[in-house]
Amino acid sequence: MIRHRLLLLGMKETEDFSKADFILFNTCAIRENAENHLYGELGQVKGIALTRKDLFVAVCGCVMQEEKPVRYVLDHFPFVSLVFGTNNIDAFYVLLEESIKAHATYVDVRSQPTALVESQEEDTSGRTSRYTAFVDIAYGCNKFCTYCIVPYTRGKERSRRKEDIVNEVLFLKERGYRQVTLLGQNVDSYGKDFGDKYAFADLLEAVAQTGIERIRFTTPYPSDFNDKVFDVMAKYDNVMPALHLPMQSGSDAILKRMNRRYTRKEYLDIVHSLRKRLPDVYLTTDIIVGFPGETEEDFQETLSLCKEARFDGAFTFIFSSRPGTPASRMKDDTPDSVKHERFDRLKDLIDSLSEEKAKSMVDTVQEVLFETVSRRDQNRISGYDRHGKLVHVTGDPSLIGQIRKVKILESHTYSLVGELLDD
Ligand code: 5AD
Ligand code: SF4
């Protein structure tokens, strides 16, 4: 949305800091290294800012919803002209105007949203792709997992109206978009603020009925799932057979301390029910290792759950203590070296599960939506199959934005290599 508004002002994009007149950092607070990364980047800009008095630097996003990082930016990077958070993006032009008038860094961070940010736009110029788009369905999170900063930076869950979402998808479809990904912290809690338990399944069905070619969604919360969602996934061919279902840990004791509202058994039941209805589904997850107090036994439970659930892939994280969250105050006596060693063991297991799945796809035919051309080789194009698996082929760049059948020839841990088939 901000990108769209900047383009409307006539700005043009560059990835080279030294060429830019306006630099905006959008931040993510989920793990500490993202915050440190921001300070590193601002450090790089500092040199340019000293010689370029007309350079405008702004910082926004989740990290700025916290008091300490804002202080840090003000103290260390006084050349920053504007700081704002996640709750007043809708007022972006006003913020810009005020900061241009101000003589010092202009800070406007709100703890409450000023409006339900609507991302429907009159044109698609702010979107980074002409074929695939993210569509927000809800903002914020009410879950308060004890390790997570999101409920503090993103506020209470607010669902967008179903009609607005469906209209946005239709609008994108008419302009040639082939895939939408419905986005929310907990997509399957969608509509609970309207008091409707089945709202996500109904929304997914309404989006499927727009006829857009591919629909994905992320991220669901395990215990908010109901079978009606699986029914819709199974019924509509344009809802992709892929699910990213964060499990976080396989140990009931840890899940409880994380304030995750399901047990290991309940998680597995959902997976079994999913695989029964959608045998072809591609299942991925998020896992945190080294949560405060995690024992070797707890970790073994995580490993065994991965094997039982037969994940096709996973994002794995080492616990990162976020100030202000309950977990940051929990006793944590596991040495970093042990956490890293567990992380490596988990990664090896996940990689072997991914490789196994990838191998089983060799010789199959997959439909691939091509999205990118290799920087090194103009005839090497890549895209994603229906499961969300990355596929590379030799092909003409004119195929970007098209869906083609591909025979899979080779498998790697994170991608597949195939050849285009004639239509
Ligand atoms: N430390 C490590 N990983 C975290 N995640 C969220 N908060 C933390 C944290 N404090 C992970 C979770 C979540 C994913 C988006 O990031 O696994 O699902
Ligand atoms: Fe964070 Fe997701 Fe838990 Fe919400 S449900 S608190 S976003 S990990």
Side-chain angles (χ1 to χ4, degrees):
M1 173 198 252
I2 299 175
R3 181 172 183 270
H4 176 235
R5 295 199 181 177
L6 290 172
L7 293 173
L8 287 181
L9 291 178
M11 294 200 187
K12 290 208 176 67
E13 253 176 326
T14 169
E15 281 177 19
D16 184 352
F17 278 162
S18 62
K19 286 201 190 120
D21 301 310
F22 182 104
I23 301 175
L24 174 77
F25 292 99
N26 191 4
T27 61
C28 168
I30 203 136
R31 284 172 295 275
E32 191 183 8
N33 49 5
E35 197 176 311
N36 294 335
H37 187 67
L38 167 72
Y39 302 145
E41 299 269 306
L42 280 170
Q44 274 192 39
V45 172
K46 200 171 186 169
I48 308 170
L50 286 174
T51 57
R52 293 260 324 266
K53 290 283 168 247
D54 58 333
L55 181 70
F56 189 101
V57 182
V59 187
C60 67
C62 285
V63 174
M64 295 299 106
Q65 286 297 129
E66 298 173 83
E67 225 174 291
K68 261 209 204 139
V70 172
R71 267 272 114 236
Y72 194 91
V73 168
L74 293 177
D75 291 347
H76 294 81
F77 309 105
F79 58 85
V80 170
S81 304
L82 168 65
V83 169
F84 61 104
T86 53
N87 284 322
N88 49 354
I89 316 174
D90 54 313
F92 178 63
Y93 285 146
V94 179
L95 294 169
L96 210 54
E97 224 181 310
E98 292 299 324
S99 59
I100 291 167
K101 280 193 259 165
H103 296 295
T105 309
Y106 184 76
V107 181
D108 190 346
V109 177
R110 313 261 168 130
S111 58
Q112 296 294 327
T114 47
L116 180 61
V117 181
E118 281 296 343
S119 60
Q120 184 169 8
E121 289 148 6
E122 290 75 42
D123 64 60
T124 52
S125 60
R127 299 209 173 253
T128 43
S129 159
R130 277 163 47 213
Y131 312 104
T132 62
F134 289 105
V135 173
D136 291 320
I137 65 166
Y139 307 95
C141 178
N142 294 349
K143 290 286 192 289
F144 288 92
C145 303
T146 54
Y147 51 81
C148 184
I149 195 84
V150 168
Y152 307 92
T153 59
R154 289 289 171 125
K156 273 217 290 279
E157 208 163 275
R158 290 99 62 202
S159 302
R160 286 183 69 199
R161 290 189 334 175
K162 183 173 161 189
E163 306 85 87
D164 290 338
I165 298 166
V166 171
N167 281 339
E168 185 169 344
V169 174
L170 282 169
F171 171 87
L172 291 164
K173 182 182 170 227
E174 279 160 18
R175 275 149 194 83
Y177 279 78
R178 306 202 125 185
Q179 174 178 295
V180 289
T181 303
L182 307 179
L183 270 191
Q185 303 295 347
N186 289 296
V187 282
D188 45 351
S189 311
Y190 171 79
K192 282 204 174 151
D193 43 347
F194 311 145
D196 182 353
K197 188 173 163 213
Y198 294 115
F200 179 64
D202 293 341
L203 173 74
L204 191 60
E205 179 150 37
V207 172
Q209 285 167 351
T210 64
I212 190 146
E213 277 167 287
R214 286 184 164 197
I215 301 157
R216 301 185 190 278
F217 58 86
T218 196
T219 312
Y221 187 91
S223 50
D224 284 341
F225 244 120
N226 54 63
D227 286 353
K228 204 168 162 202
V229 180
F230 298 151
D231 291 342
V232 174
M233 289 177 78
K235 181 169 166 197
Y236 292 91
D237 200 45
N238 56 349
V239 180
M240 295 300 103
L243 191 71
H244 183 71
L245 192 64
M247 87 173 200
Q248 313 299 1
S249 168
S251 149
D252 282 339
I254 296 292
L255 286 172
K256 201 160 182 194
R257 286 218 296 285
M258 287 178 162
N259 192 29
R260 299 289 288 183
R261 302 161 192 204
Y262 51 87
T263 60
R264 169 195 176 88
K265 176 168 184 312
E266 282 161 352
Y267 185 92
L268 268 175
D269 286 347
I270 299 168
V271 170
H272 290 142
S273 153
L274 170 76
R275 291 217 192 263
K276 209 156 97 199
R277 274 156 208 259
L278 288 137
D280 185 35
V281 77
Y282 191 84
L283 182 68
T284 52
T285 196
D286 287 345
I287 305 166
I288 299 177
V289 294
F291 186 80
E294 183 190 69
T295 61
E296 176 61 26
E297 288 73 42
D298 291 320
F299 178 65
Q300 288 295 338
E301 296 261 284
T302 294
L303 294 179
S304 71
L305 184 60
C306 290
K307 285 183 210 153
E308 278 184 62
R310 285 185 290 114
F311 291 122
D312 300 307
F315 293 117
T316 48
F317 309 100
I318 292 184
F319 169 73
S320 166
S321 175
R322 307 309 292 128
T325 59
S328 69
R329 297 186 290 275
M330 290 179 190
K331 191 163 157 239
D332 184 6
D333 44 19
T334 313
D336 274 354
S337 57
V338 173
K339 293 188 181 188
H340 280 96
E341 181 261 334
R342 281 183 196 157
F343 180 83
D344 292 343
R345 274 151 70 201
L346 176 64
K347 190 108 193 43
D348 286 348
L349 171 63
I350 296 293
D351 284 354
S352 72
L353 291 171
S354 301
E355 273 160 31
E356 205 179 299
K357 171 73 177 194
K359 248 188 221 146
S360 74
M361 292 174 78
V362 172
D363 287 337
T364 64
V365 173
Q366 303 294 330
E367 284 171 17
V368 178
L369 167 54
F370 289 103
E371 295 185 26
T372 51
V373 180
S374 158
R375 283 188 189 189
R376 271 171 290 154
D377 178 355
Q378 276 291 305
N379 284 315
R380 185 95 169 151
I381 55 174
S382 309
Y384 293 89
D385 76 357
R386 288 170 55 81
H387 308 93
K389 193 91 188 153
L390 180 62
V391 182
H392 308 288
V393 303
T394 299
D396 196 89
S398 63
L399 291 177
I400 298 300
Q402 301 201 23
I403 296 174
R404 286 299 169 91
K405 286 204 167 77
V406 171
K407 179 160 182 212
I408 306 301
L409 302 176
E410 268 175 53
S411 70
H412 302 275
T413 314
Y414 306 112
S415 63
L416 302 167
V417 178
E419 68 180 358
L420 283 165
L421 295 180
D422 295 332
D423 277 337

